[in-house]
């Protein structure tokens, strides 16, 4: 093993979890230095700690340096040469940071959470009442004077409705759901509140302001910033500029191309031109708006790739020593019982939903087209090991008034709010503010989107999202997705042992809608 002098050890000790062992963590070093050192691994003959001593220790930025140098000359120079010069983008995956984005609308949160190679956590509408005034006063919704006084009046009307309904629906929930033996008072209060918040979140407009945290690599931030700067929504572009400043304050080299003439500007133009081209073609082909849209939730399995035999063959691939088509041919000679027994054995006992079978499950693909309320979409959009595409939020697909809200005596209040939201949406559109119009729409309005995933992700998503503590509207989607897979691939669906098909009044109603729709599809 390599030895270091006592002076060298003194330089190494603050920045490496150990100085002698072959496996060690990098500690308290700028992201760019860590990434640059790893980038040097490919050409440097020695070890990383020796590289640090040879090339980086002398140019580390001084703590709190007045010159705002957060990277050190060596790392910045290396990044400029490798990342910007050679265009080796992968080095930008070697550094990451945490960024908080606060007071952002529920339209912007979905734009921020589009990149899949990142981690996110967002303040929940299911556990926090959204009618508390903001620090400077007023309800928490996105404000922009160019949207006009009617917009602010409509948003205040929606929040007033939400605020008025909350205590009434909470009282109804408390009276309607009997106290179970030994249920602690505090837990009871939390459960009643969560149920009432769940029932009323559909009243909140997409303009409602949230807080979220992002953990991502430099590469993911660069992509996200350029998408934000290319976005037609002023809120998104403003956030893109702020995010750029935040990343530059910690690891400027990772986003140095964004403001580089002939690099970031060209890339941003390319992105906005793609959006414009899509818009042009849907208008030319008359596909931009559905006049008589069917106003109900639906889950449709619109495309399937692969079958149960292919999944079995793929599950055996890594252990086999023959070409896959030979394995597939062998599997096809087995009886149904043998195949089912083999699949059950290959998947094993799965004591809990985190015990997931191997990559063979990625050989089968399901494409779902879903219509659900925006609230459920917001939750399901967070899944990253899939392709999710969503259409703009409009009132065309309608919204559902939860019967529990009607039973609590707030049905008319809810209907009036939905109407006010739809009218304000249309006023903004008529005023030419097409991109801003969705701000006005309640989260209860439905949206159309696709979730395209392999069977392994389908197992994760349906098991996680059908769980009892989930929101009824996305539990219904998860259960319906599992049912659709079971119709096509019963053996595969049988391995999704942790899908919770238990229901409750609201969930049952949404499921009835979805099943009604798929039956209509089958008989269409
Ligand atoms: C009941 C419930 C309450 C929730 N409450 C909140 C909340 O209050 N706020 C909030 O923001 N979110 C909330 N979530 C959403 C949750 O935090 C996740 O965003 C969501 O479940 C999708 O992420 P996932 O990793 O489960 O699935 P996917 O993104 O589909 O990933 C599938 C699997 O791939 C792997 N994977 C995916 N991405 C990564 C990665 N970057 N690094 C390593 N492995 C990865 C993991 O093994 C993961 O399980 C809630 C979810 C549930 C079910």
């Amino acid at each position: 093993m390599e030895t270091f002098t006592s002076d060298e050890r003194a330089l190494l000790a603050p920045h490496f979890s150990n100085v002698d062992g072959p496996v060690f963590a990098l500690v308290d070093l700028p992201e760019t230095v860590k990434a640059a050192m790893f980038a040097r691994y490919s050409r440097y003959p020695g070890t990383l700690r020796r590289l640090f001593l040879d090339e980086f220790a002398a140019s580390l930025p001084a703590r709190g340096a007045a010159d705002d140098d957060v990277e050190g000359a060596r790392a910045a120079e290396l990044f400029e040469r490798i990342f910007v010069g050679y265009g080796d983008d992968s080095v930008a995956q070697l550094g990451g940071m945490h960024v908080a984005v606060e007071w952002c609308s529920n339209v912007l949160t979905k734009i921020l959470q589009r990149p899949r190679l990142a981690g996110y956590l967002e303040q929940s509408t299911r556990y926090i009442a959204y009618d508390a005034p903001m620090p400077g006063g007023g309800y928490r919704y996105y404000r922009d004077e160019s949207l006009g006084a009617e917009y602010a009046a409509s948003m205040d009307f929606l929040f007033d409705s939400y605020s008025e309904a909350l205590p009434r629906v909470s009282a109804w929930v408390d009276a309607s759901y009997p106290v179970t033996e030994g249920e602690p008072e505090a837990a009871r209060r939390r459960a009643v509140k969560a149920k009432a918040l769940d029932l009323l979140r559909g009243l909140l407009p997409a303009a409602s302001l949230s807080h979220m945290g992002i953990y991502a690599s430099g590469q993911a931030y660069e992509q996200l910033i350029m998408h934000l700067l290319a976005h037609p929504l002023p809120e998104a572009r403003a956030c893109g500029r702020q995010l750029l400043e935040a990343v530059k304050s910690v690891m400027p080299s990772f986003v140095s191309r964004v403001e580089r003439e002939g690099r970031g500007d060209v890339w941003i133009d390319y992105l906005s031109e793609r959006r414009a081209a899509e818009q042009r073609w849907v208008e030319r082909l008359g596909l931009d708006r559905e006049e008589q849209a069917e106003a109900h939730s639906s889950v449709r399995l619109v495309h399937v790739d692969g079958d149960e035999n292919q999944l079995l063959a793929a599950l055996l691939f890594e252990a086999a020593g023959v070409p896959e088509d030979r394995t597939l041919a062998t599997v096809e000679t087995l009886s149904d019982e043998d195949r089912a027994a083999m699949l059950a054995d290959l998947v094993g006992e799965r004591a809990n939903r985190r015990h997931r079978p191997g990559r063979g499950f990625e050989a089968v693909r399901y494409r779902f087209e879903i219509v659900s309320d925006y609230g459920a979409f917001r939750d399901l959009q967070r899944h990253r090991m899939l392709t999710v595409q969503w259409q703009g939020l409009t009132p065309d697909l309608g919204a559902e008034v939860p019967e529990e809200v009607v039973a609590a005596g707030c049905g008319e209040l809810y209907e009036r709010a939905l109407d006010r939201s739809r009218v304000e949406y249309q006023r903004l559109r008529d005023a030419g503010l097409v991109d801003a119009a969705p701000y006005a729409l309640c989260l209860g309005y439905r949206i159309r989107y696709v979730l395209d995933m392999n069977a392994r992700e389908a197992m994760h998503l349906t098991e996680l999202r059908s769980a009892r503590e989930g929101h009824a509207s996305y539990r219904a989607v998860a259960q319906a997705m599992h049912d659709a897979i079971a119709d096509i691939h019963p053996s595969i669906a049988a391995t999704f042992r942790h899908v919770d098909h238990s229901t409750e009044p609201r969930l049952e109603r949404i499921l009835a809608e979805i099943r009604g729709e798929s039956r209509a599809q089958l008989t269409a």
Side-chain angles (χ1 to χ4, degrees), residues 121-122 124 356 382-385 457 460 464-465:
L121 216 290
E122 180 187 343
S124 173
R356 268 174 280 184
R382 295 288 300 279
H383 289 275
R384 291 149 296 183
M385 303 303 278
E457 176 64 4
H460 172 70
L464 178 73
R465 292 299 181 172

Side-chain angles (χ1 to χ4, degrees), residues 65-193:
D67 59 1
D68 287 342
D69 171 12
V70 292
E71 299 178 315
R74 173 71 179 125
E77 173 274 325
L78 202 143
F79 237 79
E80 177 65 25
R81 188 154 46 79
I82 293 181
F83 179 56
V84 180
Y86 302 161
D88 177 357
D89 288 24
S90 63
V91 293
Q93 294 159 6
L94 301 174
M97 58 183 280
H98 296 78
V99 174
V101 181
E102 301 203 330
W103 306 113
C104 51
S105 76
N106 272 271
V107 175
L108 179 59
T109 53
K110 289 300 108 184
I111 302 167
L112 287 166
Q113 292 160 4
R114 189 173 173 105
R116 289 167 287 187
L117 298 178
Y120 306 101
L121 216 290
E122 180 187 343
Q123 195 174 51
S124 173
T125 54
R126 303 187 59 212
Y127 307 109
I128 294 164
Y130 265 54
D131 59 346
M134 294 208 296
Y139 288 125
R140 51 188 298 174
Y141 59 82
Y142 175 72
R143 285 170 172 74
D144 179 342
E145 286 193 358
S146 70
L147 303 181
E150 301 96 323
Y151 166 77
S154 299
M155 295 305 100
D156 287 340
F157 182 88
L158 297 181
F159 275 88
D160 284 342
S161 307
Y162 174 88
S163 186
E164 182 191 335
L166 203 45
R168 292 165 59 182
V169 171
S170 302
W172 179 87
V173 170
D174 202 15
S176 310
Y177 289 78
V179 179
T180 45
E181 187 68 29
E183 187 179 12
E185 182 51 34
R188 168 79 186 170
R189 267 200 312 281
R190 278 199 304 278
V192 166
K193 182 182 174 196

